[in-house]
C-alpha cells in the first residue's frame, strides 16, 4: 500500500483561521454591505466627477463597486448552492473567482476613496457612505481569503500567506470537467451572447468620460476576466469557439459592426477607428514575428509606404503625381508598393538572424522616414513635400457612397468616422481571413517550424530563405492595405507619423509590444494588445508622456508572469509552462 503524502492527507488551511461557514457568512455579509453602500453618498461635493453625492442612486465609480459586489455575492452564494448550479457557474471551483472578484471590488472601492481624497484635498471630503464602503469591501476580502478551496489539487500546502493565496487564484487551475453536450442552436446562442456581452463591456470602456472612471473600469474588468477564467467559464467558451470557428468569426464581426450604432457622435467612433487600424497592422506584424519568428523593428515603414502611395494617387491637390485613382485601384497600388518594398528589403537581409536582422529592419524604418522628409524639392526631388507631408486627401466615394457625410441606418446617424470604421472593419476581416488561412496551410506550418528551430527546419528540406521572404512580403502587403485606409481617415501623410518609437502611435515599438502583449501566433491576441495599448494612454492623459516606460514595464511583468501573452497559444503555453510531474515519496518502512 502506497502511503499518501502530507499534502494529500491534510487539506489546505486558509491564511485567516475561520471555519468554512463563518468564512462564507463573512463574505456574503461584506458583499451585501458593499452593495448597499453604493446607494449612499461618498462625498459632499460634485467637484469630483461622477456626482457621488446622491443618496439612493449610484453614480460614476459607485457603479463599478456595485457591479463588483454583485458578482462577488453571486459567486459566494454559488458556493452554497446545489452542485448542479455550481457546475454551471463555476465548473472549476468557486473560491478562486470569489477571491478575485472580492479583490477587484476592494481595489476599485479604495481607489475611488483615494482619488476623492487626493483630488479634493483630504479625508474630510469623504461622507460616512465612503467610509462604510471601504470597511465593507475590506470585510468582503477578509472573508474571501478565509474561504476553503473548492478545487483541491495534490500540490496544496497546509498554510498559505495572503500573497500565496492570491497568486494561487491567478495561477491556472485544473481543467473543468467536460460540459454536457448542448444542441447546436444553444451553443450558437452562447457564442452570440458572449460577443454581445463583450461589445457592451468594450463600449462602456471607450465611452468613459474621465480617467478615474476608466481606471476603476480597468481594475474590475481585469479581475473579473481573471475570475471567469479561474471559474472555468472561459475554458468552456474556448471549446465552443474552437468547435464553431465560422460561427465565432461571424459573431465577432457582427458585434464589432454594431459598435457605431451604440454611439451618438463621432468622438469615440474616431477612437475606435484608430484602434482598429493599429490592431490590423499589429495582426500583419504577427505574420512576420508570431508565425515566422522574424524580429522586425521597422514594420511601421510598410504602413507608411501604403499611406504615402494612397496620398499620391488619390487626388490630393498637394500630390506631385496629380493622379486620381478609384479607391480599389489606390488600395491595390498601396498593397503592391508595400509588397515590392518588402521584397526589396527582405531579399538581401533575410539571410541574417536574430539581433542582426532586427538592427537592419530598424535601419530601414529610419531610412524610410528620413527619405520621406528629404523628398521636399530642396534636398531631393519634390515628391512628398518633406516634413509638411501630403495633406487634403479627398474623402472616399465608393459607388456614390460618400464617406465624408453622415448617413442613417435604422434611424441612427453614422458620421464620417463611423463610415471609415465599417470600411476598416472589412479590411480587418480580410487580414484575419488571410492570417487564418496562412496559419492552417502548409506554408504556415513551415513558418512555425522555422520559428521554433530554423536549422532543424532547413535540415528537413524546408527552404527557409524563400519562406521567410514570403512572410516578410505578406506582412508588408497587409500593412500597406491598412495604410491606404489610414491615409484617407486622417486625410494626410507626414513622415513623423512613422517612427520607431514615439508618444503617439503608430510606431514600431507600439506594434511589437501589441503583438507580444496580446500573444504571438494568435488572431485575437494582437487585436486585444493593440486595443489596450492604444486605449489606455488615450483615456489616461498623464500616461502619454511615460508611454515607452510603461510599455517596457508591462513587457517585463508579462515575461515574468505570463510569457505566452494575454491570449494563449497552445504551443507557447506548453513551451513556457511545462507540466509539473510530482515525484513519488519513498514509502516509510
Amino acid at each position: 500500500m502506497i502511503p499518501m503524502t502530507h499534502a494529500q492527507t491534510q487539506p489546505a488551511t486558509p491564511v485567516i483561521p475561520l471555519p468554512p461557514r463563518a468564512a462564507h457568512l463573512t463574505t456574503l455579509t461584506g458583499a451585501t454591505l458593499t452593495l448597499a453602500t453604493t446607494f449612499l453618498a461618498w462625498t459632499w461635493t460634485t467637484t469630483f466627477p461622477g456626482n457621488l453625492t446622491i443618496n439612493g442612486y449610484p453614480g460614476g465609480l459607485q457603479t463599478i463597486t456595485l457591479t463588483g459586489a454583485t458578482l462577488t455575492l453571486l459567486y459566494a452564494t454559488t458556493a452554497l448552492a446545489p452542485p448542479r448550479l455550481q457546475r454551471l457557474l463555476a465548473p472549476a471551483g468557486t473560491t478562486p473567482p470569489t477571491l478575485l472578484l472580492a479583490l477587484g471590488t476592494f481595489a476599485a472601492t479604495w481607489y475611488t476613496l483615494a482619488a476623492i481624497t487626493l483630488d479634493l484635498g483630504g479625508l474630510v471630503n469623504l461622507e460616512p457612505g465612503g467610509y462604510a464602503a471601504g470597511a465593507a469591501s475590506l470585510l468582503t476580502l477578509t472573508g474571501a481569503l478565509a474561504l476553503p478551496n473548492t478545487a483541491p489539487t495534490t500540490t496544496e500546502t497546509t498554510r498559505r500567506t495572503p500573497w500565496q493565496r492570491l497568486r494561487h487564484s491567478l495561477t491556472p487551475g485544473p481543467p473543468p470537467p467536460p460540459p454536457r453536450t448542448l444542441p447546436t442552436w444553444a451553443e450558437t446562442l452562447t457564442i452570440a451572447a458572449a460577443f454581445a456581452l463583450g461589445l457592451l463591456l468594450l463600449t462602456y470602456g471607450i465611452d468613459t468620460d474621465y480617467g478615474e472612471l476608466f481606471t476603476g473600469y480597468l481594475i474590475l474588468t481585469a479581475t473579473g476576466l481573471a475570475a471567469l477564467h479561474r471559474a472555468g467559464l472561459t475554458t468552456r467558451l474556448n471549446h465552443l469557439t474552437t468547435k464553431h470557428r465560422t460561427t465565432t468569426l461571424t459573431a465577432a464581426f457582427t458585434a464589432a459592426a454594431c459598435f457605431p450604432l451604440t454611439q451618438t457622435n463621432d468622438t469615440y467612433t474616431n477612437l475606435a477607428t484608430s484602434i482598429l487600424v493599429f490592431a490590423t497592422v499589429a495582426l500583419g506584424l504577427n505574420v512576420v514575428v508570431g508565425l515566422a519568428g522574424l524580429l522586425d523593428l521597422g514594420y511601421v515603414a510598410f504602413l507608411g509606404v501604403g499611406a504615402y502611395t494612397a496620398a499620391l494617387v488619390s487626388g490630393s491637390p498637394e500630390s506631385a503625381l496629380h493622379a486620381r485613382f478609384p479607391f480599389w485601384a489606390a488600395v491595390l497600388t498601396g498593397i503592391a508598393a508595400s509588397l515590392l518594398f518588402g521584397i526589396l528589403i527582405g531579399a538581401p537581409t533575410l539571410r541574417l538572424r536574430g539581433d542582426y536582422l532586427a538592427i537592419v529592419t530598424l535601419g530601414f524604418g529610419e531610412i524610410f522616414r528620413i527619405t520621406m522628409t528629404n523628398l521636399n524639392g530642396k534636398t531631393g526631388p519634390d515628391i512628398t513635400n518633406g516634413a509638411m507631408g501630403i495633406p487634403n486627401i479627398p474623402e472616399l466615394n465608393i459607388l456614390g457612397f460618400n464617406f465624408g457625410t453622415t448617413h442613417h441606418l435604422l434611424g441612427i446617424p453614422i458620421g464620417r468616422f463611423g463610415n471609415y470604421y465599417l470600411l476598416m472593419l472589412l479590411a480587418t476581416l480580410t487580414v484575419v481571413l488571410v492570417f487564418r488561412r496562412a496559419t492552417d496551410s502548409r506554408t504556415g506550418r513551415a513558418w512555425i517550424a522555422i520559428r521554433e528551430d530554423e536549422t532543424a527546419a532547413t535540415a528537413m528540406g524546408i527552404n527557409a530563405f524563400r519562406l521567410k521572404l514570403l512572410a516578410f512580403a505578406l506582412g508588408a502587403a497587409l500593412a500597406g492595405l491598412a495604410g491606404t485606409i489610414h491615409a484617407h481617415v486622417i486625410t494626410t501623410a507626414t513622415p513623423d507619423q512613422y517612427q520607431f518609437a514615439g508618444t503617439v502611435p503608430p510606431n514600431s515599438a507600439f506594434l511589437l509590444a501589441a503583438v507580444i502583449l496580446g500573444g504571438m501566433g494568435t488572431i485575437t491576441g494582437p487585436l486585444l494588445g493593440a486595443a489596450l495599448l492604444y486605449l489606455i494612454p488615450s483615456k489616461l492623459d498623464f500616461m502619454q508622456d511615460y508611454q515607452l516606460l510603461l510599455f517596457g514595464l508591462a513587457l517585463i511583468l508579462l515575461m515574468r508572469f505570463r510569457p505566452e501573452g494575454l491570449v494563449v497559444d497552445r504551443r507557447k503555453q506548453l513551451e513556457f509552462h511545462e507540466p509539473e510531474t510530482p515525484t513519488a515519496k519513498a514509502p516509510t518502512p
Side-chain angles (χ1 to χ4, degrees):
M1 182 177 181
I2 301 176
M4 300 181 69
T5 64
H6 182 70
Q8 292 173 319
T9 55
Q10 296 187 7
T13 303
V15 65
I16 299 177
L18 283 178
R21 185 175 296 274
H24 282 110
L25 181 61
T26 303
T27 307
L28 290 171
T29 303
T32 304
L33 292 177
T34 304
L35 189 151
T37 57
T38 59
F39 293 87
L40 302 176
W42 287 11
T43 184
W44 61 276
T45 175
T46 57
T47 304
F48 188 81
N51 194 5
L52 309 185
T53 64
I54 303 176
N55 287 308
Y57 185 81
L61 280 162
Q62 287 177 324
T63 59
I64 302 295
T65 299
L66 173 64
T67 304
T70 303
L71 293 175
T72 306
L73 187 61
L74 172 65
Y75 271 94
T77 306
T78 302
L80 306 176
R84 185 174 182 179
L85 182 59
Q86 291 186 21
R87 289 193 298 269
L88 178 64
L89 296 178
T94 58
T95 296
T98 304
L99 176 56
L100 288 170
L101 290 170
L103 176 63
T105 306
F106 170 81
T109 303
W110 281 67
Y111 165 77
T112 304
L113 302 180
I116 294 173
T117 303
L118 294 176
D119 290 356
L120 302 182
L123 291 171
V124 69
N125 295 285
L126 291 176
E127 288 289 297
Y131 290 105
S137 62
L138 179 60
L139 179 65
T140 307
L141 182 60
T142 303
L145 285 170
L147 289 174
N149 188 16
T150 56
T153 63
T154 59
T155 59
E156 287 287 343
T157 56
T158 57
R159 186 172 294 274
R160 291 184 181 273
T161 64
W163 168 249
Q164 290 174 334
R165 191 74 186 273
L166 291 175
R167 186 171 181 180
H168 172 68
S169 297
L170 292 171
T171 304
R180 182 168 58 91
T181 303
L182 299 175
T184 303
W185 63 266
E187 295 179 344
T188 303
L189 286 179
T190 302
I191 294 173
F195 280 102
L197 181 62
L199 173 63
L200 293 176
L201 190 64
L202 180 62
T203 302
Y204 183 87
I206 293 179
D207 291 351
T208 50
D209 296 327
Y210 48 94
E212 291 86 353
L213 180 60
F214 183 74
T215 303
Y217 159 81
L218 279 183
I219 293 173
L220 187 60
T221 301
T223 54
L225 292 177
L228 293 179
H229 180 68
R230 285 297 274 119
L233 295 181
T234 57
T235 302
R236 290 191 169 180
L237 181 62
N238 287 337
H239 290 163
L240 290 181
T241 55
T242 303
K243 181 179 178 181
H244 305 281
R245 299 181 67 178
T246 303
T247 302
T248 300
L249 191 61
T250 303
F253 281 91
T254 301
C258 292
F259 174 80
L261 302 179
T262 65
Q263 306 299 307
T264 57
N265 56 62
D266 268 0
T267 303
Y268 298 119
T269 311
N270 179 21
L271 179 61
T273 304
S274 300
I275 291 174
L276 204 56
V277 170
F278 304 135
T280 305
V281 180
L283 189 59
L285 178 61
N286 198 25
V287 175
V288 181
V289 177
L291 293 184
L294 306 175
L295 184 56
D296 188 352
L297 299 182
Y299 186 77
V300 74
F302 298 118
L303 177 69
V305 171
Y308 265 99
T309 303
L312 288 171
V313 302
S314 294
S316 170
E318 305 297 331
S319 171
L321 300 182
H322 302 291
R324 182 65 183 268
F325 288 7
F327 175 68
W328 64 268
V331 169
L332 292 179
T333 305
I335 293 175
S338 298
L339 179 66
L340 178 61
F341 270 88
I343 295 175
L344 292 178
I345 299 302
T349 61
L350 287 179
R351 299 187 187 277
L352 302 174
R353 297 187 188 182
D355 300 338
Y356 301 100
L357 177 62
I359 293 173
V360 170
T361 54
L362 175 61
F364 163 66
E366 290 301 303
I367 289 172
F368 169 79
R369 181 179 60 83
I370 296 173
T371 302
M372 294 300 103
T373 304
N374 289 333
L375 296 179
N376 55 7
K378 297 179 181 179
T379 57
D382 188 9
I383 299 177
T384 64
N385 295 328
M388 299 298 295
I390 305 176
N392 302 322
I393 301 174
E395 302 287 356
L396 288 177
N397 193 311
I398 302 176
L399 300 178
F401 186 89
N402 191 338
F403 280 73
T405 60
T406 300
H407 302 271
H408 290 79
L409 179 63
L410 302 177
I412 301 175
I414 300 179
R416 176 183 183 274
F417 288 107
N419 298 328
Y420 281 107
Y421 172 87
L422 295 175
L423 178 63
M424 193 62 225
L425 187 63
L426 292 178
T428 305
L429 177 60
T430 302
V431 175
V432 167
L433 292 176
V434 170
F435 184 89
R436 178 180 170 184
R437 298 293 295 179
T439 305
D440 296 337
S441 67
R442 181 178 179 180
T443 301
R445 293 193 295 270
W447 282 338
I448 294 174
I450 294 172
R451 181 193 69 190
E452 298 299 327
D453 193 331
E454 183 176 345
T455 303
T458 304
M460 296 300 294
I462 295 176
N463 190 333
F465 174 75
R466 182 178 63 83
L467 289 173
K468 289 195 296 183
L469 183 60
L470 178 61
F472 211 72
L474 178 60
L478 297 179
L481 169 63
T484 56
I485 301 177
H486 183 235
H488 286 90
V489 172
I490 63 177
T491 68
T492 186
T494 57
D496 58 354
Q497 296 173 348
Y498 310 105
Q499 304 179 19
F500 168 71
T503 57
V504 179
N507 55 69
S508 294
F510 169 88
L511 297 173
L512 187 61
V515 173
I516 297 175
L517 175 67
M520 294 189 297
T522 63
I523 293 179
T524 56
L527 302 179
L528 176 62
L532 290 177
L533 292 181
Y534 189 86
L535 183 61
I536 292 175
S538 299
K539 288 295 184 178
L540 305 178
D541 296 334
F542 71 93
M543 293 181 60
Q544 293 183 359
D545 295 334
Y546 307 97
Q547 195 175 78
L548 292 179
L549 174 64
L550 296 175
F551 280 178
L553 180 61
L555 290 177
I556 291 173
L557 294 176
L558 194 73
M559 293 301 102
R560 171 61 182 86
F561 296 104
R562 196 176 176 86
E564 69 272 20
L566 296 178
V567 179
V568 178
D569 177 63
R570 182 62 177 169
R571 184 181 287 103
K572 288 289 184 181
Q573 187 179 31
L574 293 176
E575 177 183 349
F576 289 115
H577 301 283
E578 296 181 0
E580 297 181 0
T581 55
T583 56
K585 198 171 183 179
T588 304

